[in-house]
Amino acid sequence: MKQLLMCSAALIVVAAPSAAFAQSTGSIDFENEIVVTGATVDKGVAGVLLPDTSKAKAVLGAEFIQAQTPGQSINEVINQLPGVSFQNNDPFGSAGGTLTIRGFDDSRISQTFDGLPLNDTGGYALYSNQQLDPEIIEQVNVNLGTTDVDSPTAAATGSTVNYRSITPSEEFGAKMVASVGDFSFFRLFGMVQTGNFTPWGTRAFFSASRATNDAIYGGIGEIDKQQYNAKIYQPIGSNGDFISIAGHYNENRNNFFGSVPLRVDGGRVVGSSSANRFPTSKDERFYETARCTIPAPVAGVADVASACGSDYEYRYNPSDTGNIRINSRFTLADGLILTVDPSYQYTKANGGGTSIASEGRTPASSGLAGQVGFIQGSSSATQYYFGRDLNGDGDTLDTIRLLTPSQTQTHRYGLIASLRYDINDDNTIRVAYSYDRGRHRQTGEAAYLRTDGFGSEYFAIDDPIADVNGNLVEKRNRLSYAILHQVSGEYRGEFDALTVNLGLRAPFFKRDLNNYCFTATAGGNLRCFGDDAASTAYAAANPTIQGPQRRVFKYDKLLPNAGVVFDLSGATSLFANYSKGLQVPGTDNLYNSFFYAPDTEGANPQPETTDNFDLGVRYRTSKLQAQLSGWYTIYHNRLAQAYDRDLNVTIYRNLGRVDKYGVDGSVTYQPIPELMFYAFGSYLKSEIKDDVQLDATTVGQTAGKRESGAPVYTLGGRVQGDIEGFRLGIQAKRTGPRYVNDQNLPVYQTINGALTQVYGAKAPAYTVVDLDARYSLEKFGAPGVAVQLNVTNLFDKFYVGGFDGTLSTTSITFAQIGAPRTFIGSVVVGF
């Protein structure tokens, strides 16, 4: 029952799965062997645990997670760990955010859920608004600078985030959480635990949630999120063997909001509306996006596309994601353990805005006159050409604005199998096989806008517009297969006070890519035609442009890791670790390389690799746990966008070597059960080794500079008191300055003929304070009932939220506006 109610979350943290510091069942099984099961020190302190491994790792358990806002993204929760920096786009976890760990952006961080890789199979991005409901997360652990040897990831050049769902309770029960808050926030979560319902101890849980709120900025958008989860668990015998089958489905229907050009220039308008600038004060945050109506078309008149619907706040960002996963453990013989984790994932998602479409045909400037299709980057603002009446006025003279998101559908199959053998009490080996296959379909259909400027469909692919010949007009048209076969091995030896870990990953990556469009520039501009005749004609007229084709890329590399833990005393240990990381080039980079003829240098992007070193000291008792680690990462073949002098276009450029180093530390102290203190901090230094070509005449002065987008330092902590059923917590996080570009220089633009500084070199540091309070009604005879209050950004700090760094000093980076102070009240009922 205690695992169901989570009112006494400390007890949940110490349940049997509490030692699950790794991602797959095999990794958990291997690491559990070094944990003294049930020992007080391994329970952590108030939900914060520092496992005694050779890796720099930190774990947050249910006690810490449940104190946060109900429904909150787990990526916001880990913002309370050293080295982690997350900027949440809203206070509720439903609108996405920007994550870095030790300066690695989210496309270079591997995130897993019960062993499933969550990074997008194409570009490796993470989507923080699609994570598991926090009420059913048992724990989250972060490897600050390395990954597990059986990890099926193409993304992790640096850190990993692993979290696991709860195991169904042996007792029947139910739980409901109802929350209301600012911005019309309403969320309802419910869960039923079956308890044991067969003689063999079979048990299950089922949960569902729904959350809605108004977009916190813009005044017109809405967010609607629902999620469903189920797990059935069958123990086998009494030695820890089991089979678990689980399912997950998450649906988001979101509007974008709050992403504006990063500039401080006296409020100068830089876009189509006064909302299209960075606010300079708290009062300006709550801008109102203008509502509009698309004019009715006029027969016989060349109607011009309306701007209605073009503002950022009109855009949808919908997603449907789901998975089925199996975790299992079998004892084959004394000391011989087999674990098998198969899975399937599905994704349907899009993002993007609108484009101008013509009822006519392609002009001569497009490279092929008189056709229908998609022409990107031509001299005209028009990109879609349909050759037919689109607005129903009886002529084909018009241009109109259409909904044109980038559509993605993915089917992904995975398997992690592991065999562990205990040679004796002090020596253990493990071999593993990992498989990952993602079918990644990327298209760009168009759909109509309603008269109020919003899309007629969340997914344009559900009702796409065809051209005069009945073919769909696509702004991209790709079919990709991302395939991984990986074998790995791991050894652990215990020699009195010394524990040694040695591991080796051997991944074999294959990228089977099919591009059905012409790649006109190295920056990825496309020409897409719906019929073979038009494609043939365009190829004949443009023989130097690479046309539709298939290319296969293969990458493989041996990735060693080694670590030691030396026990100085019963509480103090030293640890050190080395690991080699790898990131295979993402889909966009590889498809951009289609611009180059096969077998040329530009057609074969190189993978990124890292050499990661950690050295630290750890102190662990039942009341005090502390860790301090220094780290150094050597980054090879760092990819970024840059200007190509010969081609006069922007392409992906290999920046060569980048060095990163820093220090992370945390301390948790609980002098008495009713009081807890937690503090953490980190410092990061990165150094780009080479200068980069920015345009035809300018070399960017990047050598010796820091990478943009990552904070120089972070500091934070939490104080929590718990007396007679009343718990009060206050936590703070200070995020240091972040450079806007890789040259570490201010941003300039030409305004009224003069070069003018519109933003500084850094986004300034900021501090956000959160408060949470919870009161249990147990003393009134209702042990499963509690009320909870969460206040995020307590002092209403105005700050720059998440943004992507850039190379240029003359391009304006778009940034999210930091979420304002928000109150959320919740009622928890369980039995």
Side-chain angles (χ1 to χ4, degrees):
M1 185 75 74
K2 57 182 176 290
Q3 207 174 27
L4 163 69
L5 300 180
M6 299 183 185
C7 296
S8 180
L11 294 179
I12 301 174
V13 176
V14 305
S18 67
F21 305 140
Q23 57 183 17
S24 69
T25 305
S27 291
I28 293 170
D29 176 71
F30 191 80
E31 290 197 359
N32 274 358
E33 292 300 300
I34 64 172
V35 175
V36 182
T37 304
T40 303
V41 68
D42 290 314
K43 300 173 184 178
V45 176
V48 183
L49 173 61
L50 300 174
D52 200 23
T53 74
S54 64
K55 302 170 183 176
K57 182 180 291 192
V59 177
L60 296 178
E63 180 176 4
F64 197 101
I65 296 169
Q66 299 307 314
Q68 312 302 310
T69 301
Q72 187 59 268
S73 169
I74 194 65
N75 289 352
E76 168 68 10
V77 177
I78 64 172
N79 197 35
Q80 299 299 314
L81 291 176
V84 179
S85 179
F86 183 71
Q87 286 75 43
N88 211 4
N89 292 347
D90 74 345
F92 314 114
S94 299
T98 304
L99 175 68
T100 63
I101 300 179
R102 287 186 173 177
F104 292 104
D105 63 76
D106 65 0
S107 70
R108 293 172 168 88
I109 299 167
S110 173
Q111 186 163 21
T112 67
F113 156 32
D114 284 352
L116 275 76
L118 296 180
N119 298 76
D120 177 80
T121 55
Y124 312 133
L126 293 172
Y127 302 100
S128 61
N129 60 334
Q130 299 171 13
Q131 306 302 316
L132 187 66
D133 281 334
E135 290 88 349
I136 55 175
I137 295 180
E138 177 184 88
Q139 65 165 222
V140 56
N141 71 80
V142 178
N143 289 339
L144 296 176
T146 186
T147 187
D148 299 310
V149 297
D150 62 357
S151 177
T153 177
T157 42
S159 310
T160 61
V161 179
N162 311 309
Y163 65 88
R164 299 193 65 83
S165 59
I166 62 172
T167 299
S169 171
E170 295 187 45
E171 301 179 34
F172 173 80
K175 178 180 180 180
M176 184 189 75
V177 181
S179 305
V180 296
D182 292 331
F183 307 105
S184 303
F185 175 70
F186 177 75
R187 179 177 183 267
L188 187 64
F189 168 86
M191 178 173 63
V192 174
Q193 298 264 20
T194 67
N196 293 337
F197 62 86
T198 72
W200 307 281
T202 311
R203 52 192 190 265
F205 76 76
F206 305 90
S207 72
S209 68
R210 177 78 180 272
T212 60
N213 63 273
D214 295 334
I216 62 175
Y217 297 122
I220 63 173
E222 296 179 349
I223 293 178
D224 189 338
K225 176 180 178 180
Q226 54 186 300
Q227 185 174 129
Y228 306 89
N229 290 280
K231 178 186 283 190
I232 184 168
Y233 181 86
Q234 177 62 63
I236 302 173
S238 58
N239 57 359
D241 290 352
F242 70 94
I243 298 177
S244 170
I245 303 175
H248 165 83
Y249 176 75
N250 187 90
E251 181 177 291
N252 283 72
R253 298 292 181 263
N254 292 4
N255 280 101
F256 285 108
F257 63 87
S259 180
V260 290
L262 185 61
R263 60 188 297 141
V264 177
D265 56 5
R268 184 177 291 107
V269 175
V270 298
S272 60
S273 73
S274 60
N276 199 18
R277 59 185 169 83
F278 185 73
T280 57
S281 71
K282 288 183 180 180
D283 293 337
E284 289 183 333
R285 282 182 300 182
F286 301 104
Y287 60 86
E288 291 288 332
T289 301
R291 296 183 180 272
C292 60
T293 301
I294 297 175
V298 179
V301 175
D303 299 310
V304 178
S306 170
C308 183
S310 61
D311 284 345
Y312 188 79
E313 288 74 17
Y314 281 86
R315 302 178 182 184
Y316 295 138
N317 185 211
S319 65
D320 296 338
T321 57
N323 66 63
I324 299 172
R325 58 199 189 276
I326 298 175
N327 300 101
S328 61
R329 179 186 189 272
F330 306 97
T331 300
L332 305 181
D334 187 23
L336 185 63
I337 307 296
L338 172 68
T339 61
V340 183
D341 295 353
S343 62
Y344 166 75
Q345 298 184 70
Y346 171 75
T347 298
K348 178 182 179 181
N350 72 44
T354 62
S355 299
I356 297 175
S358 172
E359 296 179 331
R361 293 175 178 267
T362 58
S365 61
S366 69
L368 184 66
Q371 297 296 325
V372 291
F374 174 79
I375 305 293
Q376 184 178 24
S378 63
S379 59
S380 170
T382 305
Q383 299 187 96
Y384 287 79
Y385 297 88
F386 286 86
R388 71 175 184 88
D389 182 13
L390 294 172
N391 56 18
D393 66 355
D395 63 44
T396 57
L397 304 174
D398 311 324
T399 58
I400 69 170
R401 187 172 297 277
L402 297 177
L403 175 69
T404 56
S406 298
Q407 176 71 32
T408 298
Q409 285 187 288
T410 302
H411 296 271
R412 189 172 189 176
Y413 301 87
L415 172 68
I416 305 176
S418 171
L419 188 65
R420 171 175 67 85
Y421 177 60
D422 296 330
I423 301 172
N424 53 42
D425 290 342
D426 299 322
N427 295 275
T428 301
I429 59 173
R430 177 169 74 114
V431 293
Y433 169 74
S434 301
Y435 173 73
D436 187 26
R437 181 186 187 274
R439 183 187 187 274
H440 197 64
R441 187 75 170 98
Q442 296 175 296
T443 56
E445 299 82 5
Y448 289 105
L449 298 178
R450 303 190 315 231
T451 57
D452 62 0
F454 287 95
S456 60
E457 305 284 339
Y458 285 107
F459 295 97
I461 196 173
D462 289 347
D463 190 17
I465 304 174
D467 64 24
V468 67
N469 301 317
N471 299 309
L472 297 184
V473 180
E474 309 271 16
K475 71 176 184 181
R476 64 176 185 175
N477 193 356
R478 308 167 174 172
L479 174 60
S480 312
Y481 294 91
I483 302 169
L484 165 67
H485 294 276
Q486 177 176 276
V487 293
S488 58
E490 189 171 12
Y491 163 78
R492 183 183 64 251
E494 299 177 49
F495 308 96
D496 295 327
L498 180 68
T499 301
V500 176
N501 288 88
L502 301 174
L504 182 66
R505 293 173 58 201
F508 299 88
F509 294 99
K510 179 181 178 181
R511 298 293 181 260
D512 187 343
L513 307 182
N514 300 270
N515 190 359
Y516 303 113
C517 298
F518 291 81
T519 307
T521 71
N525 286 351
L526 301 176
R527 311 285 188 262
C528 302
F529 304 99
D531 60 72
D532 293 338
S535 293
T536 300
Y538 186 84
N542 300 272
T544 61
I545 294 180
Q546 294 290 312
Q549 60 186 279
R550 174 193 179 198
R551 293 187 183 179
V552 177
F553 300 84
K554 294 183 179 180
Y555 301 94
D556 56 80
K557 198 170 189 66
L558 293 178
L559 304 173
N561 67 74
V564 296
V565 178
F566 186 75
D567 186 9
L568 295 177
S569 67
T572 306
S573 62
L574 299 176
F575 64 93
N577 196 84
Y578 164 76
S579 68
K580 195 169 191 68
L582 172 72
Q583 185 187 68
V584 173
T587 299
D588 286 341
N589 184 19
L590 291 174
Y591 276 116
N592 284 4
S593 74
F594 276 43
F595 172 77
Y596 301 96
D599 301 323
T600 63
E601 182 179 358
N604 295 280
Q606 296 301 303
E608 301 175 348
T609 61
T610 53
D611 291 289
N612 306 298
F613 301 88
D614 276 289
L615 177 65
V617 60
R618 187 180 290 128
Y619 181 82
R620 306 192 317 150
T621 67
S622 60
K623 292 186 176 181
L624 175 65
Q625 295 205 359
Q627 180 173 283
L628 181 67
S629 63
W631 59 273
Y632 198 104
T633 293
I634 302 171
Y635 210 141
H636 306 278
N637 293 326
R638 172 72 159 87
L639 294 179
Q641 293 186 27
Y643 182 82
D644 186 282
R645 178 193 298 271
D646 298 325
L647 299 172
N648 195 33
V649 293
T650 299
I651 66 169
Y652 282 86
R653 174 76 77 188
N654 187 330
L655 298 186
R657 177 171 167 171
V658 177
D659 286 8
K660 301 169 180 278
Y661 56 88
V663 61
D664 304 313
S666 69
V667 57
T668 313
Y669 180 49
Q670 192 170 26
I672 56 176
E674 295 80 13
L675 186 62
M676 182 272 280
F677 300 93
Y678 169 60
F680 64 90
S682 64
Y683 172 79
L684 164 68
K685 177 70 167 71
S686 62
E687 182 180 350
I688 303 170
K689 293 297 185 180
D690 302 314
D691 288 332
V692 181
Q693 192 80 34
L694 296 178
D695 57 37
T697 59
T698 307
V699 175
Q701 304 302 308
T702 55
K705 303 300 178 62
R706 292 175 183 261
E707 292 177 298
S708 55
V712 175
Y713 66 87
T714 61
L715 296 169
R718 176 178 175 86
V719 179
Q720 177 178 301
D722 193 340
I723 301 176
E724 296 184 351
F726 177 70
R727 186 193 69 210
L728 178 65
I730 187 165
Q731 61 192 38
K733 174 72 176 285
R734 180 162 182 82
T735 300
R738 293 162 288 162
Y739 283 99
V740 175
N741 57 66
D742 291 331
Q743 298 187 72
N744 302 171
L745 296 173
V747 181
Y748 292 87
Q749 290 217 321
T750 300
I751 301 176
N752 298 326
L755 192 63
T756 305
Q757 180 178 327
V758 296
Y759 201 78
K762 305 175 185 176
Y766 65 93
T767 303
V768 172
V769 179
D770 300 330
L771 180 144
D772 59 270
R774 183 184 180 101
Y775 185 67
S776 171
L777 301 184
E778 182 175 3
K779 66 169 56 179
F780 301 103
V785 180
V787 292
Q788 181 168 319
L789 173 68
N790 291 86
V791 186
T792 62
N793 196 0
L794 178 65
F795 299 109
D796 200 24
K797 176 64 178 178
F798 174 60
Y799 64 95
V800 177
F803 65 87
D804 293 325
T806 182
L807 287 167
S808 173
T809 62
T810 58
S811 63
I812 299 176
T813 297
F814 276 71
Q816 290 290 135
I817 306 171
R821 177 173 51 220
T822 305
F823 292 83
I824 303 102
S826 305
V827 176
V828 181
V829 179
F831 62 88

